[in-house]
Amino acid sequence: MSQTIHVTVNGAAREAEVEPRMLLVDFLRQTLSLTGTHVGCDTSQCGACTVHVDGVSVKACTMFAVQADGSAITTIEGLAGDGALHPLQAAFREEHGLQCGFCTPGMIMAAADLLARNPSSSEGEIRHALEGNYCRCTGYHNIVKAIQNAAGQMS
Amino acid sequence: MSDYIGTSVKRVEDQRFITGRGRYTDDIVLPNMTYACFVRSPYAHARINGIDTEEARNRPGVVAVFTGQDIVDDGINPIPTGWQIGEDMKEPPHHTLAVDKVRHVGDGVAVVIAETKAAAQDAAEHVHIEYEPLPAVADMNEALADGAPLVHDDAPNNVSFHWELGDKAAADAALAAAHHITTYEIVNQRLIPNAIEPRAVIGDHNVATDDLTLYTSSQNPHLIRLLLCAFVTGLPEHKVRVISPDVGGGFGSKIFHYPEEVFCAWATRKIGRPVKWTAERSESFVTDAQGRDHLTTAEMGFDADGKIVGLRVDTAANMGAYLSTFAGGIPTWLYGTLLAGQYTTPAIYVHTQGIFTNTVPVDALRGAGRPEATFLLERLMDLAAKEMGRDPAGLRRMNFIQPDQFPYDTPVVLQYDSGNYEAALDKALDILDYDAFRQQQQQARAEGRLIGIGFSTYIEACGIAPSAVAGAIGARAGLYDSGMLRVHPTGKVQVYTGVHSHGQGHETTFAQLVAHHLQIPMEDVELVHGDTAQIPFGMGTYGSRSLAVGGSAIYRALEKVLGKARKIAAYKLEAAEEDLEYVGGQFTVKGTDRSVSFGDIALTAYVPHDYPIEELEPGLEFNAFYDPKNFTFPFGTHICVVEVDPDTGEVEILRYVAVDDVGEVINPMIVDGQVHGGIAHGIGQALFEGAVYDEDGQLLTGTFMDYTIPRAADLPMFEVDRTVTPCPHNPLGVKGAGETGTIASTPAVVNAVCDAVGARDIQMPMTSERVWRAIHAARSSGDGQA
Ligand code: FES
Ligand code: FES
C-alpha cells in the first residue's frame, strides 16, 4: 500500500515510504521529526500547520504527503535558510507577536506568503490574509504589528 | 545593566518558538511509544449494556483495549473535585472511563492502544458498545423541572449545591425602599475554551525503577501529581514525575485533572510501554471543561440621586455532567464576592445553585466567575443609566468607592486593599475624548449611522489567598507558591518556580525580577518551570497569580540569597554587614573602594577555603514559600465604540480603549500583550462565541466551523494604557494582568452595541442576525434611534 515519494524539504532531498492516507503535516512531524509545524484542528481552520509547498502557503493538514511528491517544501525550521532569522521571525519577537507560540510557525509562514505576494499590505489586508490562522493568545494586535514591521524591513 | 523592572525586554522564550523548536507534549516521541484512541459516547445520556472489544483487539497493530470496568477493577478511584461548596454538595463519581452510564457526548467509554495513531483510530471503530439511550437534559431550566431526567441518581432535582453570600434581609429591605430598580435577566452563555494547542498526555512507566513520568499539557504539574497520586491512583508521589513542557495556551482549560491523564498514567503500567494521547480538535470541543453558562436574575436598586442602595442576584450555574476540578468555586466564591464591583453598594445578596446537565463539565475559563459578575454589574449600570436618564460614565462615577475609603470592606466578604477608580475612568475618557465623541455620535446618528459607546468599570480579585481563607471557603488546596534560587559557583543563577508559563512570558519577566535585584545581567539568569522533579511544590498558574504569588516567593528567596551574600561579603571585606552597600552587583564598604562582586561571593560560597564555616553553611541556594496576605485587586475602565450596519446587523469595533491598573509592572510589553489577548477573548464572548446543545444534549457547535473564535479581521488595534496603584501587601506591588481584559471587555462591547441600535438587551453572542433583529424591534417599537 505504501508509496515512495521524493520531496525537497528545507533544501534537502528526502525520499520516504508513506501510506497514501498520510497527511503532509503528519509526514513532516512524524516521519521527518519537523515538529515546528503544528496541528491545532481537524477541520482545516486554524492554520497552525501552514507550510510552503513550491513557494505557496498551504495548510499541511489539507494535503496528503503523496500529493507533495516532487515538490519543494519549506517549514518554519527552514524559513531562515542560512541560520539567521527571517525578518518575520525577528519582527514577531520584536513586536511581541507571540505568547504561547503554538500558532506562531503557521502565522509566520502565512505572513511570509502574504508579503511575498503583497509587500506593502495595509493593516486591513494583513488582517484579511490571516483569516485562516487562529491565535487565542495575542488578540492579533502585535501579530499585525510584527507583519507591518517585517514588511518595512523587507521593502 | 540591572535596571530591568519596568523595561520591555524582548522575550527570551521566543527564539525557540519563532524557529519551530518549541517542545510541546505532542512533539515528544519516546522509544517504543504506543498511541491511545478514546472511544467516546455519541449519546448525552445512555446506559452501557455491553462492550465488545474482541474485534478491536484483533485489528492490526492493536496492543490493548481497555474499558472503564478494567480501571475500576484495578482500584483506581474517581477523579475528585477540588472545591467543596457547602456541607451537602453532591459530588457524584467521575470515573476515568464511564462504567455504568455515559453522561455527556464525549464521555470516554473505552480506549484502544496501538502501535500507531492511525491503527488505534481504525480499531476504535471496531469496539462495539451497546447503548440504551436515556432521556437527557442539556438546559438548566429543564434540568430543574419536576420529573426531569436525573443526570445522577443521587443528585435529586439535578442540584449539586446551593450557596449564598451577603445579607438577604438587608438587600430585600434596600430594594423595597429603592427609588428605582433595574431588573435584568441574563443568559451568560457557555463558552468553549479552545486553546490552540489541543491537550496531550504521555504516560511513561519505567518497569525497572517503577518510576512514572507523565507529560501533560497542564497549567499546574504539581496539582496534577497531587490529585493523581493522593486521590485517584494511590501511587507514591515520589515515584511520579509530572512534566508540563511548552504548553500552547491554557485560559483555565488546562488547570483541571482530566481522565486522559489518569488513563495514560494507568495504562503505561499495564502494558509496560509509553502511552500517548493527543486530542483531535473535535475531541477538545467535547472534553475540555467549558466556561460560563449562567442564568441569572439581578435587581439593582437606586435612590433618587442615583446612588446604588442594594443588589440581589439569583444565579443558576451549569456544572455539566460532573464536577470538574475547581467547578463549584467558580460561580460562587469567584463570582459572588465580585458583586460590589467598584461601587459602594451597601447591601448585596447572591444565591447560586450548581446544576447537573448532560453536557461537558464547566469550570474556570479566563476570568472564571469574575467576567460573569462584571458582565452583570456593568450591564446593570448601563441599563440603569438609560432608565434613569443619566450619563453612564457619570452614574458609575458617583457610585465609586473613593481613594480614601481603602482598605474597603465590601458586603460580600472581600477587603479591597487599594484603588483609584476615578483616575482610570478619567484617563480612559481622555484617551477617547468623550465630549467630542458624543458630538460625533449625535452627528452620525443624524446621518442615520448607528454608532454606540459602551463602558465597563471593573474590579478583579486575583491571586486567591491567603491559604487559610481559601480553605475556609472550601478550596481543598493551599494557594501559596514557591520560588527557589540556585546560585551556581560562577554566579550564574537558576530560578525554580512553582507557577507555570503557557504564554505569559515568565522566562523573561521572572529573569528580569531576579537580575534586577541581584544586579546581574539577565543572560545570567534562567527560569525552570513545569517539571515536578526539578521545581519545589507549587500550585501552578491560573487566576492571574503567577507574579503576585509566585513572583513574591521568588522575591523572598532573593532576600535570603542577598542576606547570606552580605554575610559572606562582610567576612571577605572584614567589615560590618551594615557598613556594606550593594550597588552594581558589588558589595562595597561605604565610603571606600573596597568591594567584592556577586560572582566572587558565589565562588566563595562553593569553595569555602577562607570562610566563616562555623556561622555559615557553604553554598548559595534558597527556597521560599509565599502565602499571600490577601487577594490583589486590579481595576480599570474599558470603553468600546462600535458602528453597526443597519442593513446587515454587522458590528464593527471602531475603537477600544482600555485603562487598566495592575499595580507595578515589570515588563510593560508583556502586560500589554496579556491585556490584548484578554480583550480579544471577551470580545469573542460578546460577538462570536457560544456553545449550543440541542435538547438531546448534542453539541451543535463542535468544530471551528460552527464555533467562531475571533479572527484578525474581527478585531481592531487596541488602545491600552495604565494607571499604577501598587498592591500594598505583596513585596512587588503587583496584582496580575492575565484576565483583566476578558473580565472588562464583554459588557463594554454589549453596552456599545445596545447603545448603537437603541436596544435594551441583545443576547450574546451578538451575531449579525440578532443585532439585525434588535434594530428592527427597536424601529417597530419606536424607542430606538434607528
Ligand atoms: S491543523 Fe491545519 S488548519 Fe488546523
Ligand atoms: S500565541 Fe498562543 S495561539 Fe497564538
Side-chain angles (χ1 to χ4, degrees):
Chain A
M1 271 263 281
S2 294
Q3 259 175 264
T4 307
I5 61 168
H6 297 85
V7 286
T8 306
V9 180
N10 298 331
R14 311 291 295 246
E15 180 187 319
E17 294 277 309
V18 297
E19 294 257 331
R21 68 169 173 182
M22 181 177 244
L23 297 173
L24 177 59
V25 68
D26 292 330
F27 172 69
L28 295 170
R29 287 180 56 79
Q30 291 162 20
T31 312
L32 302 186
S33 300
L34 291 169
T35 54
T37 302
H38 297 150
V39 178
C41 73
D42 45 15
T43 50
S44 297
Q45 248 104 18
C46 76
C49 61
T50 308
V51 298
H52 295 174
V53 176
D54 294 329
V56 178
S57 93
V58 165
K59 289 181 174 178
C61 72
T62 61
M63 187 169 169
F64 294 111
V66 290
Q67 292 175 291
D69 190 16
S71 306
I73 298 164
T74 308
T75 70
I76 188 71
E77 289 93 340
L79 179 65
D82 59 1
L85 293 179
H86 183 277
L88 270 161
Q89 291 171 313
F92 267 66
R93 178 166 62 193
E94 190 61 29
E95 299 290 352
H96 188 30
L98 63 149
Q99 291 182 23
C100 78
F102 198 79
C103 72
T104 312
M107 283 285 177
I108 290 177
M109 298 308 285
D113 183 61
L114 168 69
L115 294 187
R117 284 184 284 114
N118 181 1
S120 54
S121 298
S122 67
E123 184 198 325
E125 286 167 333
I126 292 171
R127 287 182 182 275
H128 278 287
L130 296 181
E131 186 157 26
N133 290 80
Y134 290 1
C135 176
R136 198 58 153 162
C137 296
T138 64
Y140 305 98
H141 182 112
N142 287 342
I143 290 177
V144 173
K145 278 173 66 183
I147 297 171
Q148 289 172 323
N149 172 324
Q153 306 281 318
M154 288 163 75
S155 63
Chain B
M1 162 173 101
S2 60
D3 211 11
Y4 288 116
I5 288 186
T7 307
S8 290
V9 178
K10 304 303 172 202
R11 297 201 322 170
V12 298
E13 42 273 88
D14 286 356
Q15 181 70 21
R16 66 179 187 273
F17 296 132
I18 57 181
T19 55
R21 267 75 173 185
R23 192 165 182 257
Y24 302 88
T25 301
D26 188 58
D27 299 341
I28 297 168
V29 176
L30 301 176
N32 216 17
M33 193 163 78
T34 63
Y35 297 82
C37 177
F38 280 66
V39 183
R40 300 189 179 279
S41 171
Y43 297 103
H45 199 192
R47 199 181 315 280
I48 302 169
N49 284 336
I51 305 176
D52 181 356
T53 59
E54 188 60 27
E55 195 181 317
R57 272 178 223 279
N58 292 324
R59 301 296 299 177
V62 170
V63 176
V65 183
F66 294 113
T67 66
Q69 199 60 48
D70 296 330
I71 299 171
V72 171
D73 289 347
D74 228 23
I76 303 299
N77 294 320
I79 300 169
T81 190
W83 213 315
Q84 174 89 35
I85 303 300
E87 305 268 293
D88 305 329
M89 182 178 84
K90 296 286 183 290
E91 188 185 347
H94 183 196
H95 291 289
T96 304
L97 295 174
V99 204
D100 51 346
K101 283 181 185 174
V102 289
R103 293 186 170 83
H104 67 86
V105 170
D107 217 351
V109 181
V111 184
V112 176
I113 298 176
E115 300 291 344
T116 64
K117 190 171 179 175
Q121 286 170 331
D122 283 351
E125 308 264 319
H126 298 271
V127 174
H128 299 294
I129 301 163
E130 204 185 306
Y131 292 106
E132 178 190 333
L134 300 170
V137 278
D139 180 90
M140 280 191 280
N141 286 327
E142 278 170 33
L144 289 172
D146 282 346
L150 290 184
V151 179
H152 298 278
D153 294 338
D154 46 359
N157 304 318
N158 291 313
V159 173
S160 173
F161 57 82
H162 283 275
W163 175 88
E164 58 181 355
L165 186 66
D167 186 337
K168 182 167 191 310
D172 288 347
L175 286 164
H179 171 78
H180 177 85
I181 295 178
T182 295
T183 303
Y184 186 33
E185 307 264 338
I186 304 158
V187 180
N188 198 305
Q189 85 273 28
R190 183 184 289 228
L191 302 181
I192 299 179
N194 281 315
I196 302 298
E197 180 208 21
R199 284 189 299 116
V201 185
I202 307 171
D204 180 22
H205 179 238
N206 183 322
V207 189
T209 63
D210 203 27
D211 289 321
L212 174 79
T213 305
L214 189 75
Y215 300 85
T216 178
S217 51
S218 173
Q219 301 176 213
N220 29 241
H222 268 299
L223 195 62
I224 299 305
R225 190 180 73 171
L226 179 64
L227 291 167
L228 180 73
C229 293
F231 297 93
V232 182
T233 62
L235 288 171
E237 235 177 327
H238 66 295
K239 300 297 277 180
V240 176
R241 174 181 185 185
V242 177
I243 300 176
S244 298
D246 286 330
V247 173
F251 317 109
S253 68
K254 292 173 180 167
I255 298 171
F256 321 120
H257 189 25
Y258 282 102
E260 294 83 5
E261 291 168 328
V262 178
F263 180 80
C264 291
W266 175 81
T268 180
R269 298 172 67 91
K270 283 311 242 197
I271 66 166
R273 295 172 63 179
V275 177
K276 178 195 255 186
W277 169 79
T278 304
E280 306 270 309
R281 176 60 54 184
S282 39
E283 255 181 313
S284 310
F285 270 98
V286 292
T287 65
D288 292 2
Q290 304 180 346
R292 318 279 189 260
D293 207 348
H294 288 192
L295 296 177
T296 294
T297 303
E299 299 151 280
M300 188 180 253
F302 295 84
D303 70 13
D305 298 329
K307 280 285 233 184
I308 308 169
V309 296
L311 173 65
R312 194 164 52 202
V313 175
D314 193 63
T315 291
N318 200 336
M319 297 286 99
Y322 307 102
L323 290 182
S324 173
T325 307
F326 284 177
I330 309 306
T332 53
W333 294 105
L334 292 186
Y335 166 72
T337 52
L338 263 281
L339 289 172
Q342 299 191 348
Y343 312 117
T344 54
T345 314
I348 300 176
Y349 172 75
V350 50
H351 165 250
T352 298
Q353 52 183 338
I355 295 164
F356 290 116
T357 59
N358 293 113
T359 60
V360 176
V362 177
D363 206 321
L365 171 64
R366 200 169 194 167
R370 294 155 294 177
E372 295 90 316
T374 304
F375 183 78
L376 173 163
L377 285 177
E378 294 308 299
R379 287 288 293 130
L380 278 171
M381 290 308 271
D382 256 46
L383 289 170
K386 286 235 157 67
E387 289 170 0
M388 298 190 290
R390 291 175 180 271
D391 176 76
L395 183 67
R396 287 172 166 86
R397 187 190 299 275
M398 66 174 294
N399 280 290
F400 282 162
I401 299 161
Q402 295 303 311
D404 61 3
Q405 290 179 277
F406 294 96
Y408 180 86
D409 289 303
T410 73
V412 275
V413 182
L414 295 180
Q415 186 185 74
Y416 296 171
D417 53 30
S418 62
N420 187 349
Y421 304 145
E422 220 162 347
L425 173 64
D426 285 336
K427 195 163 192 173
L429 291 173
D430 240 32
I431 293 170
L432 185 83
D433 199 349
Y434 186 48
D435 295 336
F437 167 79
R438 283 295 190 195
Q439 281 175 14
Q440 290 155 12
Q441 187 186 29
Q442 285 298 326
Q443 205 175 331
R445 279 182 175 166
E447 295 161 11
R449 293 171 62 201
L450 303 180
I451 292 193
I453 185 169
F455 290 88
S456 173
T457 56
Y458 73 96
I459 178 98
E460 175 183 6
C462 52
I464 305 180
S467 290
V469 169
I473 62 177
R476 292 166 173 166
L479 282 160
Y480 51 85
D481 225 291
S482 60
M484 187 173 93
L485 256 60
R486 176 173 294 160
V487 182
H488 294 284
T490 54
K492 312 287 185 202
V493 181
Q494 270 170 314
V495 185
Y496 299 78
T497 177
V499 300
H500 185 270
S501 183
H502 29 280
Q504 295 88 342
H506 296 169
E507 291 169 41
T508 307
T509 304
F510 289 9
Q512 284 179 256
L513 174 66
V514 169
H516 182 91
H517 288 287
L518 294 181
Q519 303 178 25
I520 60 177
M522 245 184 93
E523 299 72 55
D524 291 358
V525 181
E526 186 181 71
L527 184 77
V528 179
H529 63 105
D531 178 354
T532 61
Q534 296 192 70
I535 59 171
F537 194 92
M539 300 306 297
T541 285
Y542 39 80
S544 303
R545 68 191 300 276
S546 299
L547 190 57
V549 187
S552 294
I554 291 172
Y555 185 81
R556 291 284 183 245
L558 273 167
E559 288 180 324
K560 295 185 190 184
V561 166
L562 283 168
K564 184 169 178 181
R566 179 175 289 268
K567 285 190 179 11
I568 298 171
Y571 178 84
K572 282 184 80 92
L573 294 168
E574 297 178 334
E577 280 180 53
E578 49 284 8
D579 291 339
L580 301 181
E581 57 186 3
Y582 189 53
V583 178
Q586 306 268 342
F587 282 100
T588 304
V589 184
K590 281 178 208 155
T592 75
D593 60 357
R594 285 164 49 225
S595 67
V596 55
S597 73
F598 183 74
D600 280 346
I601 289 168
L603 191 63
T604 305
Y606 287 96
V607 188
H609 294 164
D610 179 15
Y611 192 82
I613 204 81
E614 296 299 326
E615 292 99 61
L616 277 184
E617 294 172 10
L620 196 50
E621 173 172 320
F622 285 100
N623 186 32
F625 287 91
Y626 178 80
D627 200 63
K629 295 188 182 64
N630 192 355
F631 292 74
T632 62
F633 299 98
F635 63 86
T637 293
H638 286 211
I639 306 177
C640 180
V641 176
V642 299
E643 173 153 17
V644 175
D645 183 326
D647 296 327
T648 63
E650 257 180 300
V651 175
E652 185 186 357
I653 298 176
L654 299 179
R655 291 186 68 183
Y656 196 98
V657 175
V659 175
D660 296 292
D661 193 316
V662 298
E664 299 288 359
V665 168
I666 292 183
N667 187 317
M669 174 191 82
I670 288 178
V671 168
D672 288 348
Q674 290 294 304
V675 173
H676 295 159
I679 294 170
H681 218 138
I683 292 174
Q685 174 165 22
L687 294 179
F688 307 109
E689 303 185 33
V692 181
Y693 288 90
D694 73 10
E695 67 260 27
D696 297 325
Q698 290 292 337
L699 180 64
L700 301 181
T701 52
T703 73
F704 277 141
M705 292 193 284
D706 319 290
Y707 186 93
T708 312
I709 67 172
R711 289 178 289 192
D714 298 323
L715 300 174
M717 286 297 190
F718 307 116
E719 302 168 60
V720 303
D721 207 331
R722 266 186 280 288
T723 59
V724 177
T725 312
C727 170
H729 63 73
N730 69 45
L732 306 179
V734 301
K735 301 180 188 173
E739 297 167 294
T740 56
T742 310
I743 290 167
S745 57
T746 307
V749 179
V750 177
N751 285 338
V753 175
C754 289
D755 183 47
V757 307
R760 183 173 195 270
D761 193 26
I762 302 173
Q763 173 56 41
M764 298 187 291
M766 298 181 297
T767 57
S768 313
E769 181 193 336
R770 283 181 176 156
V771 175
W772 185 87
R773 286 183 191 284
I775 294 168
H776 286 263
R779 273 182 191 160
S780 55
S781 73
D783 66 353
Q785 294 87 352

